[in-house]
Amino acid sequence: MAKILVTGGLGFIGSHTVVELQQAGHEAVIIDDLSNTTSDVLERIASITNQKPEFVELDLKDKSAVYSFFENHRDVDGVIHFAAYKAVGESVHKPLEYYENNFGSLVHILQGMRDNDLDNLIFSSSCTVYGETDDLPITENSPVVEALSPYGNTKQVGEEILKDAIRAHNFNIVSLRYFNPIGAHPTAKIGELPLGVPLNLVPYVTQTAIGLREQLAVFGNDYETRDGTCVRDYIHVVDVAKAHVIAVVRLVEKKNADNYEVFNLGTGTGSTVLEVIQSFEKVSGEKLNYKIVERRPGDVTAAYADTTKANEVLGWTTEKTLDDAMADAWRWEKKIRQEMADEAKS
């Protein structure tokens, strides 16, 4: 059994990863500043695993607080670092906030690890590091080109920070470049619940269907794709979470081939925005109100993964389909809204 720190562990991917860690027999410690989630996710995790993980509310931009955490948790075997701002569109309008948060949190985590002799880190990276590419499917050897958004740049430079840190210090690091995590836990006890207006496609789809949003905006239908809308590799969040568990155990057990490894996490299949909408309408039986609008700054035309390396080296494969993800996302949306309505009545 390993003891793993999960930063951003009450967020969308983080909470699912904590569940998978616990169900695999490991212990999870969560850091989260609650900037895009709520503390009740802790109870939701416990309701699935029958085990409430330790939780520390902490802003990773606070260097002294991060240092204090590591000094009090010297028995941590590895770190999975999710905590970051993550919306492409928002980052275009708030670049300085994205740089301050995403770089500051990463550097403070690395400094805390270094000073307490901790060496295993999984970095939450992204397919955005590949930018606009004609090289499809995208492999780990595809060129990392100039980022089209500040968010993408924080992932590119974040990886450079990791490589520089490895040259100077004894770290073992895996960057997991994932594509578009969607869905929810099949129990519908945890899922994606952004505070405020959603900045990702699927929660906006489900919130529109349930009546919380008036209409879904589809950003552009004049891309060079099969139906004119952007193509993405949508992967079920549970599949993503399981990959993190495999990767961190690989480091803890010293099975990594190099001090720095990179793996793509995706399904290997691209779906257009309209195909995602069609999948939702099929599994939910709901007709979605959507409208085609102008393109959004920072969006690339198409991105989907070659997952051969993750399949062969990690022994990881996806198990869930786009329809599975959309059905789970809809189940979660209905359940959380019902819970909120019941709470309001009481």
Side-chain angles (χ1 to χ4, degrees):
M1 184 184 79
K3 185 173 184 177
I4 306 299
L5 165 63
V6 184
T7 73
L10 295 184
F12 177 43
I13 308 175
S15 61
H16 287 81
T17 299
V18 170
V19 166
E20 295 303 322
L21 280 166
Q22 290 186 327
Q23 291 184 329
H26 305 293
E27 181 181 354
V29 182
I30 296 171
I31 285 177
D32 205 298
D33 68 355
L34 303 181
S35 63
N36 196 36
T37 187
T38 55
S39 59
D40 73 306
V41 176
L42 200 63
E43 300 297 337
R44 294 177 177 279
I45 291 170
S47 71
I48 298 172
T49 64
N50 297 317
Q51 180 183 354
K52 187 175 180 179
E54 180 184 350
F55 168 56
V56 179
E57 184 177 349
L58 188 157
D59 185 345
L60 293 175
K61 296 193 299 295
D62 185 341
K63 185 174 181 178
S64 63
V66 175
Y67 271 44
S68 178
F69 173 87
F70 279 111
E71 288 172 358
N72 293 318
H73 293 81
R74 294 180 181 272
D75 58 342
V76 166
D77 297 301
V79 178
I80 302 177
H81 180 48
F82 290 110
Y85 296 157
K86 63 181 182 64
V88 170
E90 182 184 59
S91 76
V92 174
H93 301 291
K94 297 181 177 180
L96 300 183
E97 287 82 357
Y98 269 66
Y99 291 137
E100 177 189 30
N101 186 70
N102 292 9
F103 292 148
S105 62
L106 176 59
V107 169
H108 293 161
I109 284 288
L110 290 169
Q111 289 172 328
M113 291 176 62
R114 176 199 62 194
D115 294 348
N116 289 278
D117 298 320
L118 303 174
D119 56 1
N120 300 315
L121 174 74
I122 305 298
F123 179 60
S124 171
S125 193
S126 169
C127 66
T128 58
V129 302
Y130 300 114
E132 183 79 66
T133 178
D134 296 324
D135 183 20
L136 297 172
I138 297 170
T139 74
E140 290 81 359
N141 295 321
S142 296
V144 172
V145 301
E146 182 178 356
L148 296 179
S149 68
Y151 165 71
N153 201 32
T154 66
K155 294 304 182 183
Q156 285 187 6
V157 177
E159 290 195 8
E160 293 300 323
I161 290 170
L162 297 177
K163 286 183 274 191
D164 287 340
I166 285 172
R167 294 185 189 105
H169 308 290
N170 184 33
F171 289 123
N172 292 296
I173 297 175
V174 172
S175 284
L176 296 178
R177 295 174 177 168
Y178 31 90
F179 283 63
N180 295 76
I182 60 170
H185 198 270
T187 62
K189 292 182 176 180
I190 56 174
E192 189 168 10
L193 187 64
L195 302 183
V197 179
L199 297 169
N200 293 328
L201 173 62
V202 172
Y204 213 112
V205 166
T206 58
Q207 288 190 15
T208 301
I210 211 159
L212 199 62
R213 307 292 162 195
E214 181 179 350
Q215 189 176 62
L216 171 72
V218 176
F219 296 102
N221 66 344
D222 58 348
Y223 289 94
E224 292 186 12
T225 62
R226 52 187 170 268
D227 61 22
T229 61
C230 290
V231 170
R232 297 291 182 269
D233 190 336
Y234 295 97
I235 176 173
H236 199 295
V237 64
V238 171
D239 284 330
V240 174
K242 288 179 178 179
H244 284 78
V245 177
I246 293 169
V248 77
V249 169
R250 174 180 172 83
L251 292 185
V252 170
E253 295 181 349
K254 305 302 180 188
K255 293 182 179 178
N256 48 306
D258 295 295
N259 294 107
Y260 184 70
E261 296 181 315
V262 175
F263 297 96
N264 285 341
L265 298 184
T267 65
T269 302
S271 300
T272 69
V273 175
L274 291 182
E275 287 168 348
V276 171
I277 291 171
Q278 291 159 8
S279 172
F280 173 79
E281 291 181 337
K282 179 175 69 173
V283 301
S284 69
E286 302 286 334
K287 186 68 177 175
L288 194 69
N289 181 27
Y290 68 91
K291 179 183 179 181
I292 306 296
V293 299
E294 292 183 356
R295 292 187 182 193
R296 180 173 57 182
D299 279 343
V300 301
T301 301
Y304 55 94
D306 182 324
T307 63
T308 303
K309 184 179 178 183
N311 300 157
E312 295 180 352
V313 177
L314 295 180
W316 166 88
T317 57
T318 55
E319 299 172 0
K320 296 178 179 291
T321 66
L322 176 62
D323 286 353
D324 292 334
M326 298 309 293
D328 287 339
W330 182 230
R331 189 180 303 110
W332 158 252
E333 185 71 54
K334 290 188 292 184
K335 186 171 187 293
I336 193 67
R337 298 306 162 189
Q338 186 61 54
E339 289 178 4
M340 290 179 174
D342 292 344
E343 186 175 336
K345 290 177 184 177
S346 63

